[in-house]
Amino acid sequence: MMEEELMDQIMYAVHQLVSWIASFAIIFGGVVPYIPQYRDIRRTQNAEGFSTYVCLVLLIANILRILFRFGRYFETPLLWQSIIMITTMLVMLNLCTNVRMATELSTKRRSFTDSKDEEIKVPKRLFLDFDLNYFWSWSRFMDYLQCVLAFTLLATYVTYLMLDSVLFVETLGFLAVFTEAMLGTPQLYCNYQNKSTEGMSIKMVLMWTSGDTFKSGYFLLTQAPMQFWICGLLQVCVDVAILFQVYYYSRYPQKPISHTTHTTAKAL
């Protein structure tokens, strides 16, 4: 009898340990892929290979996921994952904005005449201009922050009004996870436009793939709402498509290799 109780206690402790490790991985695992990309951008001062629309997709997805929890409960680690991911995406946007403004200013300097009296002016693109031609291509990080806050307030207000509707809540949950499932599509399209994966951190995509595979399994094991695991599997498919681009464009280059002195952020 004593042995059985001891074995039960050991199994319970092991179960708790595995549960804590899985929760920790879910909470912080999502931001790990962006560490090598962040370091590459800082080192090379080149943000061209990283699509900031990835940040837009993740910000929308995680804001909607937090709102979804008010209508339908899901695991607390998933809530913390969303909060930390939103913070990470804002940090990435801040870095990309600073780097791109510095690059644009440098380009202006090279293109100016030799007149020393001429002032260097970089046209500013602001969120409050409401110019759709420059949506999510603004000159200041504050404009991105204003856009995120405006979207959050609007989504919160609509959710508050419609929270009693089961159809709305379920649709909100689907939109949250489906938007996240489309995470890789901006990068997929960016690579297609560039006809290259140069400047994109391959480590980031590999971590996307492993993380999305882990998440899909976690959703299935914890019996998360159906929207979570279906869109998790879709995410894995998009990740695999980006990895295929890496193989294809390295095997069959679509444009001449750049000989500029600027080092690209190709990892791995």
Side-chain angles (χ1 to χ4, degrees):
M1 193 69 178
M2 291 287 293
E3 291 180 356
E4 290 182 1
E5 289 182 0
L6 180 61
M7 184 59 67
D8 288 341
Q9 289 177 356
I10 292 174
M11 292 301 295
Y12 176 77
V14 170
H15 180 270
Q16 286 293 104
L17 179 62
V18 171
S19 178
W20 289 338
I21 292 173
S23 296
F24 183 85
I26 281 293
I27 293 171
F28 296 101
V31 304
V32 172
Y34 300 97
I35 296 175
Q37 184 70 72
Y38 182 90
R39 294 176 62 186
D40 287 342
I41 293 173
R42 285 204 63 175
R43 186 184 73 249
T44 64
Q45 290 298 295
N46 178 16
E48 292 181 4
F50 177 73
S51 174
T52 53
Y53 283 96
V54 169
C55 300
L56 175 62
V57 169
L58 277 174
L59 285 168
I60 292 175
N62 285 282
I63 290 168
L64 293 180
R65 185 196 285 184
I66 291 173
L67 295 176
F68 176 53
R69 195 173 191 266
F70 287 101
R72 184 171 178 184
Y73 177 83
F74 55 77
E75 294 287 321
T76 302
L78 295 176
L79 174 64
W80 279 107
Q81 181 199 41
S82 293
I83 294 171
I84 291 173
M85 183 61 75
I86 289 171
T87 304
T88 303
M89 290 303 100
L90 291 176
V91 170
M92 288 293 296
L93 277 174
N94 187 36
L95 174 65
C96 291
T97 304
N98 292 337
V99 167
R100 285 174 179 171
M101 280 302 294
T103 302
E104 190 173 348
L105 186 60
S106 176
T107 303
K108 289 284 182 181
R109 284 200 183 100
R110 288 198 298 269
S111 64
F112 263 56
T113 62
D114 294 331
S115 174
K116 296 181 180 179
D117 297 327
E118 192 163 8
E119 184 181 357
I120 297 175
K121 291 183 178 179
V122 179
K124 288 187 176 181
R125 302 163 183 170
L126 307 179
F127 167 64
L128 294 179
D129 292 337
F130 300 109
D131 189 344
L132 293 179
N133 293 323
Y134 298 113
F135 178 78
W136 211 250
S137 299
W138 302 305
S139 302
R140 306 177 309 170
F141 170 68
M142 184 58 64
D143 293 288
Y144 291 96
L145 196 57
Q146 288 173 349
C147 180
V148 172
L149 288 174
F151 173 79
T152 302
L153 290 174
L154 178 62
T156 302
Y157 179 68
V158 173
T159 301
Y160 174 76
L161 293 178
M162 304 292 293
L163 201 57
D164 292 334
S165 171
V166 176
L167 178 61
F168 173 81
V169 171
E170 292 299 324
T171 303
L172 182 65
F174 175 77
L175 286 175
V177 291
F178 181 76
T179 304
E180 187 174 356
M182 294 294 100
L183 164 65
T185 53
Q187 191 65 58
L188 191 73
Y189 183 68
C190 181
N191 295 341
Y192 174 76
Q193 277 192 317
N194 295 336
K195 302 299 180 185
S196 169
T197 56
E198 187 178 10
M200 181 195 74
S201 172
I202 303 175
K203 284 181 180 177
M204 178 185 71
V205 182
L206 287 171
M207 290 179 184
W208 275 356
T209 309
S210 58
D212 293 338
T213 303
F214 174 78
K215 279 196 304 183
S216 299
Y218 180 86
F219 295 154
L220 288 169
L221 291 174
T222 57
Q223 297 181 338
M226 181 179 63
Q227 298 100 319
F228 280 78
W229 60 265
I230 289 178
C231 292
L233 294 175
L234 180 58
Q235 235 175 324
V236 174
C237 293
V238 175
D239 296 339
V240 171
I242 296 176
L243 290 175
F244 175 76
Q245 282 183 322
V246 173
Y247 166 78
Y248 182 81
Y249 289 134
S250 61
R251 188 74 180 270
Y252 307 102
Q254 305 293 301
K255 64 180 184 179
I257 299 175
S258 173
H259 293 287
T260 59
T261 56
H262 196 73
T263 310
T264 56
K266 182 179 283 190
L268 201 68

